[in-house]
Amino acid sequence: MGVSDEATQRLEYGYARVRAPQNGPQAGVYASRTANVVGTFGRGPGPTRGQQLRDLARCGRLAEAAAAAGPAERTALTGAAYEVVWPIVFARVTRRMEVSRGHTGCAAGVDRLADDCLDRFHDDVEAVVEDLLAHARQPILNLEGWIAGRLNAATVDGHRRRRGERGALQRPRLPGWLADDLGHDRWLTTLATQMLVWVGVSGTAGNQTWPLEVWAQDRARCTGDWFGSEPVVVAQEVETVLAAMRRRPQWYEAYVERPLGRKQTAVSALPIEDGPRPTAAPLELGDPYAKVEAEMSRLAADAVGAIRQRLAKGERIDAIVVDVIRTVFGGPFTPTIDRAPHDVADPVGGVTGALTDQVRLNRIVATVRDIVGEREG
């Protein structure tokens, strides 16, 4: 069994899809290539792989056989276990969870599961199969009943193991120091815990880092503020929590930044459409604000150079600062040309706007004097 956090390939692709009669026996959801492998398990005529699996379980030798099996036999044994396990997992775990999430379509059947829900289903099936092959050491007369009794423990253990592989906390709990920094605020501490949970799962939030819309609903239920619980408000609160987490840099890097960086990059299956706002944004390599900062630094250097030249001609600094700043920062600002209008704040608006405020203008002139070494005359 490989890593289950990868995107799931639907198994009906490449195989003839035969629909079973309504209320009839269900076809296997896992297409296995192990029917004719060489080995003592699943080879040649005789009992089917499923029957051999049940015989080993009935004798109390299933875990022993799995541990001693070679690669081919292990593959066949795992395939037989999958065929027994998946209907139980869907009926007792997946369907219940999809109903609680409001995914009524996904709860209708395995072939109706959305991609993310299908990934979670495969993760749970894999965890239960591993649990079965590792712990079936005693005689088991009712294999389905034994599996059903261990579903919760097996899926929870698998979930924690996958979180550990991603570097996240296996049992997300809020540290005392973080609760203190957040003032023990009921919603902020809840949000911080949800963030610790989120970094350890494979799901993504579309083209966003955090599932802000879902958390906005949680915020409304927690605080009772149904009108003020908007995604933009939650985004600001997320930054508040992150600022508190970053006060312990090593802890933040280990349990937030590293597992968050292992999430699969969200890509759009649809083209960017024309309209007032794009349906998807191109992926930026590196800091998206680096170009803005670099351009602002270049403009500032140009302004200082122009001021020095005019000072050398004998002009007074008070008379040239406004003119130079308005000229240099008043032109086109190219680093934001690839962004939707009004999607980000105007980076030069604060500079040119300061020229209309005498107090801020005085501070600018004083700063320019320090830079160019000009003394007040």
Side-chain angles (χ1 to χ4, degrees):
M1 290 181 286
V3 179
S4 59
D5 282 341
E6 300 295 330
T8 302
Q9 180 179 0
R10 290 187 176 274
L11 297 172
E12 61 264 28
Y13 297 165
Y15 298 91
R17 186 172 181 180
V18 180
R19 184 173 294 278
Q22 189 174 10
N23 297 326
Q26 299 187 58
V29 70
Y30 292 97
S32 175
R33 299 186 178 88
T34 62
N36 297 318
V37 297
V38 177
T40 59
F41 185 91
R43 181 185 64 179
T48 64
R49 293 183 306 144
Q51 185 59 49
Q52 290 178 338
L53 181 80
R54 295 176 186 278
D55 290 343
L56 288 172
R58 190 176 294 110
C59 295
R61 298 183 53 248
L62 181 54
E64 177 186 351
E73 293 178 7
R74 175 78 184 195
T75 301
L77 194 62
T78 300
Y82 265 84
E83 293 173 0
V84 176
V85 164
W86 80 258
I88 303 173
V89 172
F90 182 79
R92 296 192 172 233
V93 177
T94 306
R95 177 176 283 126
R96 176 172 54 84
M97 293 302 297
E98 298 305 325
V99 170
S100 68
R101 294 187 181 102
H103 296 183
T104 55
C106 293
V110 173
D111 60 339
R112 301 290 300 276
L113 287 170
D115 291 342
D116 288 346
C117 302
L118 185 62
D119 284 340
R120 286 193 292 266
F121 167 70
H122 283 307
D123 287 343
D124 289 339
V125 172
E126 181 177 318
V128 176
V129 167
E130 291 181 352
D131 180 80
L132 170 63
L133 298 183
H135 295 98
R137 303 186 186 94
Q138 302 297 326
I140 301 173
L141 301 181
N142 182 355
L143 184 59
E144 283 79 1
W146 187 90
I147 293 172
R150 294 185 59 86
L151 280 179
N152 185 66
T155 52
V156 170
D157 180 70
H159 175 70
R160 290 174 177 169
R161 184 174 61 253
R162 289 190 299 274
R163 291 185 62 87
E165 292 171 352
R166 299 176 67 87
L169 293 170
Q170 294 189 24
R171 298 183 180 183
R173 296 177 180 176
L174 201 65
W177 60 265
L178 183 55
D180 292 339
D181 288 349
L182 297 175
H184 292 272
D185 181 88
R186 181 186 176 191
W187 164 240
L188 290 181
T189 54
T190 300
L191 178 61
T193 303
Q194 291 182 342
M195 291 168 65
L196 293 177
V197 173
W198 175 253
V199 298
V201 300
S202 59
T204 59
N207 61 353
Q208 296 181 331
T209 304
W210 309 99
L212 300 177
E213 293 186 1
V214 175
W215 290 349
Q217 299 175 17
D218 294 340
R219 183 186 189 278
R221 286 190 291 266
C222 180
T223 64
D225 182 13
W226 293 92
F227 293 101
S229 296
E230 297 289 339
V232 64
V233 175
V234 177
Q236 295 172 353
E237 293 169 337
V238 166
E239 291 301 322
T240 299
V241 174
L242 289 175
M245 291 177 170
R246 292 188 183 108
R247 292 170 188 158
R248 302 286 180 96
Q250 293 182 343
W251 182 92
Y252 173 78
E253 180 181 357
Y255 299 120
V256 179
E257 191 172 64
R258 182 173 58 187
L260 188 62
R262 291 180 177 176
K263 281 184 177 288
Q264 183 176 353
T265 302
V267 295
S268 175
L270 300 176
I272 298 178
E273 301 174 355
D274 294 333
R277 194 174 174 87
T279 57
L283 179 64
E284 295 264 2
L285 296 178
D287 186 356
Y289 298 100
K291 292 190 299 182
V292 174
E293 294 178 0
E295 181 69 1
M296 291 291 286
S297 298
R298 186 188 68 80
L299 293 176
D302 290 345
V304 171
I307 291 172
R308 289 184 186 278
Q309 290 179 2
R310 295 181 61 171
L311 285 174
K313 296 178 181 179
E315 298 184 50
R316 289 180 55 83
I317 191 170
D318 307 59
I320 62 178
V321 166
V322 173
D323 184 42
V324 170
I325 290 179
R326 182 174 288 119
T327 301
V328 173
F329 287 90
F333 194 72
T334 56
T336 59
I337 199 169
D338 60 341
R339 304 192 183 192
H342 313 298
D343 192 41
V344 294
D346 178 12
V348 298
V351 179
T352 57
L355 302 179
T356 61
D357 184 341
Q358 189 61 46
V359 175
R360 297 170 67 186
L361 177 58
N362 292 339
R363 289 202 297 267
I364 292 175
V365 172
T367 302
V368 172
R369 287 183 184 276
D370 293 338
I371 295 174
V372 300
E374 174 73 11
R375 296 182 179 179
E376 297 188 37

